[in-house]
Amino acid sequence: MDLAYVCEWERRPKSNHCPSIPLVCAWSCRNLIAFTTDLRNEEEKDLTHMVHIIDTEHPWDVYSVNSGHAEVITCLEWDQSGSRLLSADADGHIKCWSMTDHLANSWENTVGSMVEGDPVVALSWLHNGVKLALHVEKSGASNFGEKFSRVKFSPSLTLFGGKPMEGWIAVTISGLVTVSLLKPNGQVLTSTESLCRLRCRVALADVAFTGGGNIVVATSDGSSTSPVQFYKVCVSVVNEKCKIDTEILPSLFMRCTTDPARKDKYPAITHLKFLARDMSEQVLLCASNQNSSIVECWSLRKEGLPVNNIFQQISPVVGDKQPMILKWRILSATNDLDRVSAVALPKLPISLTNTDLKVANDTKFFPGLGLALAFHDGSVHIVHRLSLQMMAVFYGSSSQRPVDEQTIKRQRTAGPLVHFKAMQLSWTSLALAGIDSHGKLSMLRISPSMGHVLDMNTSLRHLLFLLEYCMVTGYDWWDILLHVQPNMVQNLVEKLHEEYMRQSAALQQVLSTRIVAMKASLCKLSSSTIARVCDYHAKLFLIAISCTLKSLLRPHFLNTPDKSPGDRLTEICSKITDIDIDKVMINLKTEEFVLEMTTLQSLQQLIQWVGDFVLYLLASLPNQGSPVRPGHSFLRDGASLGMFRELMVVIRIWGLLKPSCLPVYTATSDTQDSMSLLFRLLTKLWLCCREENHITEPDDTLIDECCLLPSQLLIPNIDWLPINDGIISKLQNKQLVRLQFGKAPGLVGHTVSSQFDAFVRAPGQPKIDHLRRLHLGAYPTEECKSCTRCGCVTMLKSPNKVTAVKQWEQRWIKNCLCGGLWRRMPLSYS
């Protein structure tokens, strides 16, 4: 493990951020981190309880909001989509936060619930019934269905038709459980019930879910001499009211309290966690004293109940008729440790079996198998989630990693007093975020090899396996990019494409845009592949335009045949290889292409981009030997060239209806038919690479004709994406980067970024809306938003009222075309 970056608050004379007690943080599947601090005003002598949300790629761009909680915030919890956040406080108030206008740096409190005056100690969203298991031992399999299997898991509560009902469950300090359900109409149903008849104080609690749709709550009063209690909670809706039923499950005493040598050594239970939200059979417990801690892992198992011989003689027990009971058994326990200050559990749903402790050497150090323990001496240990054996270690001081026990003792004695008070592992367990006792955020890399020496192929296979997992689930993969070095990029892109091509056609269609976005983010990390970033983003834009324009086509008659007009267009254009655009048009039912004049005119900017890009590609064909030139990969991409060819045919037909919607070219001759010329050259190029396994070189005649294009038409400048100002490319040299909240860093550009500058508009030049293809001027006056991943910029509010354009804008209103989240930009961005 090593530090990637740290981000801290600027100290101000009259107010400053200090860590709240207790300090909490949460990490979403979209790589958003939420954490709390208390804003102390020295003049008024009061505390404001703040919630901060950052995107890991732009940690300085923090969104801080006064939570409105009167008491200290005790819990933060993201939902399964990573777009909503729950916060709960020590006064029993629970608030639900959601994005404003789908912006990652703008949040608002929408709904909530409360248990007046009763502090919340545990909080969780209800389970939606979706569980995907990872099979690490099958990471070499070709089929995604073997690597990632859907586990049968019931939602906590379902609506009519089996749709999971949204809501949350909380446990309070007085032993109450409260459930709030979000109805489709926006109303909130809330019910509160006691966990058991004899209520007692709950100092620690956690929530987990069973495959049958039930909820399991674990509680402790904080004393190691008291049992850790477990309860089954069933939620239902009866007569439009929420009903809660509870049942007591077997309890346990920690092993350290029953050991005579340690009976009174660890008086307090300080941490109580289920190993996973959907793994209610395994629990992690930590007991501590002033200076040290011990950690135990327990598992709930079914065991046969022995029957007395007297009853055996009366009624012999045969086979499955033996009575069974549930019993907690200890799996593992640590030796005496330094005092534990925080625990972070992995979120990867790895399929664990009884043989997991004896897996092959190349998978036993897989990051998702470990959990993190932070200690008061500033160190962090990664230990196996079941055996609790050490897998990796990080020491908080700036000195080198100790090599012997004496050095360890000296370092711990002289080490920093700063330690993590809250920690969270990323969703692939390749990164760890910690908030220390000074309110500073630290981002740690966790090596895929867990510090052990593994060959390059094994490390690449681990990264590739996790990239595939993110591709299938839709989770953000920023934390994986932390470990990708420039010499890995080409290998990863090729292997990712190979694995993708092995999947079924249906799955390939579902993942088609996600893999392109993934390739773009990888290529951004190497100077040899930086030009391909432009190509991949252009391909995403092309796919989106093609889908949108084809969806506008309508069959002329209501008795629609099996194939839509868009599918027939694709089929006819692939069969008819004629280079004359008018002869291709003859085979189409032009009545299916009739649209309103206002609709056609509103699409002119998108149509212009298609025309400009085709002209740019053909003009760059003579320079195809230079892979650093943007557009190079399109010259061998038969599928993309086929899409351009289809769109040229559609545009030609629409031009007969509304000539002003056609792309505008600056030609040297007034009589030249530019569309026909470009279609003819495009078809010739497409014929060379239409078959992926049989690509031929363009003949000299085609290259000569493309050489003449600059003398016939003015070649446009293509507006490539702006350079992304994120942190990921600055972390490749493994040097610690120090940042400050609220202040954009003045970092020296990485070599990759400097090469990208050739494709970027210089500051002060006119800006462009990359998705609407509208020019915004050198200093835009309209509010804009940018993608947190690719840097794509577009206006926040739509200037269009035409239905077709609104349909286009709906494609990226929640996320960018690359899948990244949006963030609001300052009004005068440069």
Side-chain angles (χ1 to χ4, degrees), residues 245-487:
D245 294 309
T246 62
E247 177 185 332
I248 298 177
L249 295 176
S251 58
L252 66 88
F253 283 92
M254 288 192 68
R255 172 67 62 85
C256 62
T257 61
T258 59
D259 184 356
R262 293 173 172 168
K263 187 174 182 181
D264 300 319
K265 187 174 182 180
Y266 300 103
I269 296 179
T270 53
H271 297 88
L272 164 63
K273 298 280 185 183
F274 286 106
L275 284 187
R277 278 275 184 252
D278 46 19
M279 197 180 294
S280 59
E281 301 85 14
Q282 291 170 343
V283 68
L284 187 81
L285 299 168
C286 175
S288 306
N289 56 30
Q290 291 290 335
N291 303 309
S292 58
S293 297
I294 190 170
V295 178
E296 298 177 358
C297 182
W298 289 74
S299 178
L300 183 66
R301 297 175 181 175
K302 278 187 177 181
E303 295 184 358
L305 187 65
V307 180
N308 191 283
N309 291 334
I310 297 175
F311 298 104
Q312 281 274 20
Q313 295 171 3
I314 299 173
S315 177
V317 175
V318 181
D320 297 336
K321 294 183 178 180
Q322 183 179 8
M324 306 291 288
I325 60 169
L326 292 172
K327 198 166 187 178
W328 287 99
R329 293 291 186 185
I330 190 166
L331 287 178
S332 56
T334 64
N335 296 322
D336 295 348
L337 305 169
D338 286 324
R339 189 176 180 191
V340 174
S341 60
V343 177
L345 296 170
K347 301 177 180 66
L348 274 177
I350 295 177
S351 178
L352 295 175
T353 64
N354 294 330
T355 60
D356 277 321
L357 302 183
K358 299 179 181 179
V359 292
N361 287 332
D362 59 347
T363 59
K364 69 180 179 182
F365 302 121
F366 193 76
L369 293 173
L371 57 90
L373 301 174
F375 298 93
H376 276 255
D377 65 353
S379 64
V380 178
H381 293 182
I382 304 292
V383 298
H384 195 281
R385 55 164 45 165
L386 294 181
S387 68
L388 300 180
Q389 293 177 354
M390 179 82 73
M391 299 174 73
V393 62
F394 167 77
Y395 289 94
S397 67
S398 58
S399 59
Q400 295 296 319
R401 179 180 175 178
V403 294
D404 56 49
E405 292 186 7
Q406 294 300 321
T407 314
I408 291 176
K409 291 178 181 178
R410 286 197 301 271
Q411 177 165 349
R412 289 179 178 174
T413 303
L417 297 177
V418 177
H419 59 271
F420 290 150
K421 297 182 66 179
M423 286 193 311
Q424 282 284 316
L425 283 165
S426 70
W427 282 65
T428 62
S429 295
L430 289 179
L432 175 73
I435 315 293
D436 66 22
S437 47
H438 290 172
K440 180 173 64 178
L441 172 73
S442 299
M443 181 64 66
L444 280 73
R445 293 186 192 87
I446 301 177
S447 169
S449 63
M450 287 293 175
H452 296 80
V453 179
L454 297 180
D455 60 90
M456 178 64 77
N457 288 335
T458 304
S459 297
L460 279 175
R461 193 161 73 244
H462 282 178
L463 294 176
L464 180 66
F465 182 62
L466 292 173
L467 283 170
E468 292 167 351
Y469 171 68
C470 290
M471 194 195 310
V472 171
T473 57
Y475 294 162
D476 188 73
W477 55 90
W478 176 89
D479 45 333
I480 303 175
L481 300 181
L482 277 176
H483 302 271
V484 177
Q485 294 301 307
N487 61 342

Side-chain angles (χ1 to χ4, degrees), residues 87 91 109 113 145 188 206 216 226-227 302 342 377 446 450 579 586 603 606 618 657 668 676 700 710 731 776 817 827:
S87 63
D91 196 33
N109 173 221
S113 62
V188 180
D206 199 19
V216 177
S226 301
K302 278 187 177 181
D377 65 353
I446 301 177
M450 287 293 175
I579 60 175
I586 293 172
L603 298 171
L606 302 182
L618 293 171
L657 301 172
T668 55
S676 295
D700 293 340
L731 302 175
L776 303 176
L817 296 178
L827 199 57

